[in-house]
Amino acid sequence: MSDKKVISTFDLLLIANQIIQEHDDYIDGMRADSVEEKDDVLVFKGNYFLDDNGLPTSKTTAVFNMFKYLAHQLSKEFTLEN
């Protein structure tokens, strides 16, 4: 049996965005807009700051790393309610 807390998508996004805003690598406008769970891993999505051609910018790596950080930190603690 899992020790993870069951949480709503809304509440998890509130927690994730609070973590983002308090993180040293925060960039203005960085936020998680959605989350889904795949094989017990929380996958966060949001603005990746792509250019007009859909290509990565200097901010894209920071956002990717932040969402990866959230997945590592929060997947251990939470699971989404059905």
Side-chain angles (χ1 to χ4, degrees):
M1 178 164 216
S2 175
D3 292 335
K4 293 182 180 184
K5 298 175 196 147
V6 177
I7 191 169
S8 70
T9 299
F10 179 81
D11 288 339
L12 184 57
L13 287 172
L14 285 177
I15 293 168
N17 284 308
Q18 185 70 36
I19 291 170
I20 289 171
Q21 289 180 359
E22 293 173 355
H23 198 279
D24 290 341
D25 294 332
Y26 172 75
I27 296 171
D28 190 40
M30 184 186 289
R31 64 177 284 110
D33 296 325
S34 66
V35 61
E36 58 187 65
E37 195 166 8
K38 293 184 179 182
D39 298 326
D40 295 327
V41 176
L42 297 168
V43 179
F44 293 88
K45 297 180 182 178
N47 182 358
Y48 278 94
F49 297 98
L50 302 176
D51 69 12
D52 292 337
N53 297 317
L55 298 173
T57 66
S58 59
K59 295 180 180 180
T60 303
T61 301
V63 174
F64 175 82
N65 287 336
M66 183 66 71
F67 290 164
K68 181 178 165 185
Y69 172 78
L70 291 173
H72 281 285
Q73 296 301 310
L74 298 176
S75 294
K76 296 182 281 189
E77 188 174 349
F78 297 105
T79 187
L80 291 175
E81 66 184 13
N82 293 330

